[in-house]
Amino acid sequence: MKLSNEELARFEREGYLFFPNHFRPEEIEALNSEVPSLYAQHRPENVREKGSDAVRTNFAAHLYSEPFARLARHPRMVEPVVQLFGEPVYMHQFKINGKMAFDGDVWQWHQDYGTWKADDDMPEARAMNVAIFLDEVNEFNGPLMFIPGSHKLGVLDAEHDTSTTSYPLWTINHDTIARLVERGGIVAPKGPAGSMILFHACLVHASSSNLSPWNRVSVYLSLCAVSNHIRRFKRPEYIAHRDFTPIECLPDDCLLKAYPVALPWKNGTPQQALRAEVTA
Amino acid sequence: MKLSNEELARFEREGYLFFPNHFRPEEIEALNSEVPSLYAQHRPENVREKGSDAVRTNFAAHLYSEPFARLARHPRMVEPVVQLFGEPVYMHQFKINGKMAFDGDVWQWHQDYGTWKADDDMPEARAMNVAIFLDEVNEFNGPLMFIPGSHKLGVLDAEHDTSTTSYPLWTINHDTIARLVERGGIVAPKGPAGSMILFHACLVHASSSNLSPWNRVSVYLSLCAVSNHIRRFKRPEYIAHRDFTPIECLPDDCLLKAYPVALPWKNGTPQQALRAEVTA
């Protein structure tokens, strides 16, 4: 998996790349069949929606679920990111976002790097977001919305929104969004389960609520250049990882064959990983 | 303005008809220029969004705003409804729904006739919803979503949702919605300002939040067959009207010429119209 010059130029210009049908149905099924049992667990890695039992986001499944541990090492996902950064990457954040049928709530406009800088002291925006669709994404189940080109402005002023949803987020004010949209518009890549998006850590994005009867579960992985690892351990480790070991890829068929993977959190989250404000 | 046999058959089958560009830009401008002053008024007819000053819905503007009083008598809107019911109609409800940029909140899945029957004792579903777009409606600013064919099932069981948003609504449970969508799918008519939708009083509909920087103001009129007038005056008159006089249309250019119209609530809402639980 190698990005073409045209793709590299488009990423530079628009801040994202969309790969419909990047993973095959049987590869996605191997992941999907694990989600209900992950979401059913009552562990701190599951953040639920306000006033509902539906899971908004699950953290760090690659440390306690085999199929997701393999996905975290998949060459079709890791190699283009290594190519873009020109150096090895480690897993900074690993989420399975629910956006469940009927209950999936909004994510207000934000940049991920805003949080990584403010909370985690990540030196530069050299971490890539990867979204992998575990369900079809359509116009009705709350697709990711991007403002193309908005990654070029670096880190925008943001306010800490702790009230709108169940998950605190550094969100960007309305005037700024209106200006960015006037210039770049809004796009919402839609496609079948197995599609993948790469998007820049400074690309401004949001997603609407999901009132439809269709779940919209996606995996969001954030792969950080190893030299750019975070300097502050303010957030619990299951949210912002502290293991900067370069990802070593498994073979391309790793979602279909049971290659051995380490599952260090299989029997529960280590006490250390639950603590915030640890000195780096 | 007369519906064709093909349109009548489509309405029967799907429960709605969409007319893009039904009103011209200069006609819509005559309405749009009135909205800010209407929304700025602090009168009971303005219902605001939860935790925000943005207007969610404004009621009964046709009784105190000249352009909207003319819209309420527009032949391009009234005549197809009279044709469908085969008898004169009166104005049962008149709303200007905000769905404002950034603040516009969801409307959960519901049928309007459910409320009209339960609260207003309207004998049959012989009242038509008309939506007129005052702004462009696109995939990002919370378009109306319909489940085609869902009007054929009559009144569905509903629960009174008084907590999700600032406006109480009889909403339909998730299992029923899932079943209906499996059969009919979801559609969301999108188009420029000036577009019009006619939809059946039993058609199940919803709309998502508006996170975009684009307002999505629409007028929603509910025209009831005169013989089918409501029997119970449980809700305030500015929400469910009690004047069953048949609408008399103005000429087709009535949004561009200042034809005289009565504005009985121009100087405020009458005390009587604010009261609920009046005996019919």
Side-chain angles (χ1 to χ4, degrees):
Chain A
M1 166 89 197
K2 210 166 156 61
L3 301 173
S4 68
N5 285 339
E6 190 275 327
E7 286 171 327
L8 292 171
R10 184 145 40 92
F11 181 81
E12 169 69 22
R13 192 172 65 246
E14 301 189 341
Y16 74 99
L17 290 172
F18 182 46
F19 305 91
N21 297 297
H22 197 62
F23 294 92
R24 293 201 303 279
E26 58 272 30
E27 294 178 314
I28 292 303
E29 180 49 33
L31 301 167
N32 257 336
S33 59
E34 276 280 299
V35 173
S37 66
L38 283 174
Y39 278 8
Q41 291 179 40
H42 283 269
R43 51 189 299 165
E45 289 90 342
N46 278 329
V47 176
R48 292 169 199 279
E49 297 283 9
K50 230 173 180 172
S52 150
D53 206 41
V55 170
R56 178 169 177 80
T57 189
N58 163 281
F59 286 100
H62 66 307
L63 299 179
Y64 49 93
S65 155
E66 284 206 21
F68 288 100
R70 295 193 189 102
L71 179 67
R73 295 160 172 85
H74 203 294
R76 251 177 277 155
M77 184 272 293
V78 178
E79 284 174 2
V81 182
V82 171
Q83 183 188 352
L84 274 158
F85 291 139
E87 69 165 297
V89 295
Y90 77 94
M91 189 65 66
H92 170 57
Q93 197 167 67
F94 189 106
K95 295 182 287 185
I96 309 171
N97 277 15
K99 188 73 80 174
M100 300 306 273
F102 300 113
D103 287 315
D105 205 350
V106 304
W107 289 86
Q108 298 284 353
W109 294 105
H110 67 286
Q111 297 174 303
D112 287 355
Y113 181 60
T115 301
W116 302 340
K117 188 178 172 60
D119 287 351
D120 306 329
D121 193 13
M122 183 188 286
E124 290 178 59
R126 288 169 52 76
M128 179 70 68
N129 280 314
V130 184
I132 295 170
F133 300 180
L134 297 193
D135 291 303
E136 181 197 66
V137 173
N138 59 46
E139 71 179 281
F140 303 114
N141 61 0
L144 263 181
M145 303 186 287
F146 298 127
I147 305 176
S150 57
H151 63 300
K152 298 210 171 183
L153 294 142
V155 178
L156 301 161
D157 282 344
E159 286 146 38
H160 209 209
D161 175 8
T162 55
S163 66
T164 308
T165 68
S166 60
Y167 188 75
L169 202 64
W170 289 90
T171 63
I172 299 166
N173 75 55
H174 295 172
D175 289 348
T176 305
I177 296 299
R179 273 203 313 279
L180 291 170
V181 170
E182 200 165 343
R183 227 186 42 170
I186 305 177
V187 295
K190 293 174 269 295
S195 301
M196 179 175 93
I197 308 172
L198 299 185
F199 63 103
H200 193 286
C202 288
L203 192 69
V204 177
H205 59 287
S207 67
S208 202
S209 43
N210 181 7
L211 297 182
S212 85
W214 302 304
N215 292 338
R216 199 223 70 179
V217 179
S218 299
V219 189
Y220 292 95
L221 313 95
S222 304
L223 279 63
C224 185
V226 167
S227 69
N228 190 50
H229 68 80
I230 64 171
R231 269 48 173 176
R232 188 191 302 138
F233 300 164
K234 181 176 161 186
R235 301 195 294 170
E237 189 176 352
Y238 68 86
I239 297 177
H241 294 291
R242 300 164 194 167
D243 176 356
F244 311 137
T245 313
I247 298 173
E248 285 189 44
C249 287
L250 290 171
D252 191 77
D253 61 353
C254 65
L255 290 173
L256 302 175
K257 288 193 188 159
Y259 296 98
V261 280
L263 294 178
W265 295 7
K266 176 112 186 137
N267 297 318
T269 319
Q271 276 306 312
Q272 170 74 12
L274 298 171
R275 289 224 305 270
E277 300 287 4
V278 179
T279 308
Chain B
M1 167 82 197
K2 212 168 154 55
L3 301 174
S4 68
N5 285 340
E6 190 274 327
E7 286 170 327
L8 293 171
R10 184 145 39 94
F11 181 80
E12 168 69 20
R13 191 173 63 244
E14 301 189 341
Y16 75 100
L17 291 170
F18 182 45
F19 305 91
N21 296 297
H22 198 62
F23 294 92
R24 294 201 302 277
E26 59 271 30
E27 295 179 313
I28 293 302
E29 179 49 34
L31 300 168
N32 258 335
S33 59
E34 275 280 298
V35 173
S37 66
L38 282 174
Y39 277 9
Q41 291 180 40
H42 282 269
R43 51 189 299 166
E45 288 92 341
N46 277 330
V47 176
R48 291 170 200 277
E49 296 284 9
K50 230 172 179 172
S52 150
D53 206 42
V55 169
R56 179 169 177 78
T57 189
N58 162 281
F59 284 100
H62 66 306
L63 299 179
Y64 49 92
S65 156
E66 283 206 24
F68 288 100
R70 292 192 192 102
L71 178 68
R73 295 162 174 83
H74 203 294
R76 250 178 279 157
M77 185 271 295
V78 178
E79 284 174 2
V81 183
V82 170
Q83 182 188 351
L84 273 159
F85 290 138
E87 66 165 299
V89 293
Y90 77 94
M91 189 65 68
H92 169 58
Q93 196 167 67
F94 189 106
K95 295 182 287 186
I96 309 172
N97 278 17
K99 187 74 75 175
M100 300 306 274
F102 300 111
D103 288 316
D105 204 351
V106 304
W107 291 85
Q108 298 283 355
W109 294 105
H110 67 286
Q111 298 174 303
D112 287 355
Y113 181 60
T115 302
W116 302 341
K117 186 179 172 61
D119 287 351
D120 307 329
D121 193 12
M122 182 188 285
E124 290 177 58
R126 287 169 52 77
M128 180 70 69
N129 280 315
V130 184
I132 295 169
F133 300 179
L134 297 193
D135 291 303
E136 181 197 63
V137 174
N138 58 46
E139 70 179 283
F140 302 113
N141 61 0
L144 263 180
M145 303 187 284
F146 298 127
I147 305 176
S150 58
H151 63 299
K152 297 209 171 183
L153 294 141
V155 179
L156 300 162
D157 282 345
E159 286 146 38
H160 210 210
D161 175 7
T162 55
S163 67
T164 309
T165 70
S166 61
Y167 188 75
L169 202 66
W170 291 89
T171 62
I172 299 166
N173 74 57
H174 295 173
D175 289 348
T176 306
I177 295 299
R179 272 202 315 278
L180 292 170
V181 169
E182 200 166 342
R183 228 188 41 176
I186 304 177
V187 296
K190 294 174 266 300
S195 301
M196 179 173 93
I197 308 173
L198 300 184
F199 62 102
H200 194 285
C202 289
L203 193 69
V204 177
H205 59 287
S207 67
S208 202
S209 43
N210 180 7
L211 296 184
S212 85
W214 302 305
N215 292 337
R216 201 223 69 181
V217 180
S218 299
V219 190
Y220 292 95
L221 314 94
S222 304
L223 280 64
C224 185
V226 167
S227 68
N228 191 50
H229 68 81
I230 64 172
R231 267 50 173 179
R232 187 192 304 138
F233 299 166
K234 182 177 159 185
R235 299 196 294 171
E237 188 176 353
Y238 68 85
I239 297 177
H241 294 292
R242 301 163 193 168
D243 175 357
F244 311 135
T245 314
I247 297 172
E248 285 189 43
C249 287
L250 289 170
D252 190 77
D253 61 354
C254 63
L255 290 174
L256 302 174
K257 288 193 188 160
Y259 296 98
V261 280
L263 294 177
W265 294 8
K266 176 114 185 135
N267 297 317
T269 318
Q271 276 307 309
Q272 170 74 12
L274 298 172
R275 291 224 303 272
E277 300 287 5
V278 180
T279 308

